[in-house]
Amino acid sequence: QVQLVESGGGLVQAGGSLRLSCSVSGTIFSILTMGWYRQAPGKQRDLVAAITGGDSTNYADSVKGRFTISRDSAKNTVYLQMNSLKFEDTAVYYCHVYLSGIHYWGKGTLVTVSS
């Protein structure tokens, strides 16, 4: 059973930084394409950043230059470093993997950016 557990959310002032972590279990981490999504109140869940097993990355335009996704295969963990946070980054952030036809999601971690 694949499990994703996020951590690292919290309250931060605009301009500040946070690092989110997603611990993965139950599968072969190194081959996975992992993603971070976010969902603000009343809005759809959108992709923020993704990283492939070969460490290729892509980012939403709104976070390019501010967020960095990375992975540590020894720890089965994917990270999202978020710098220069803005009020509009406030959302619940979810870790995601698509494996064998199934979408797996973590329970999410709340990031609140105060203006």
Side-chain angles (χ1 to χ4, degrees), residues 19-31:
R19 188 176 80 156
L20 306 183
S21 300
C22 174
S23 177
V24 183
S25 62
T27 187
I28 303 173
F29 178 79
S30 61
I31 67 172

Side-chain angles (χ1 to χ4, degrees), residues 72-86:
D72 185 337
S73 293
K75 296 182 178 180
N76 283 8
T77 301
V78 61
Y79 303 98
L80 186 67
Q81 178 66 44
M82 306 185 295
N83 299 327
S84 301
L85 282 161
K86 303 176 181 179

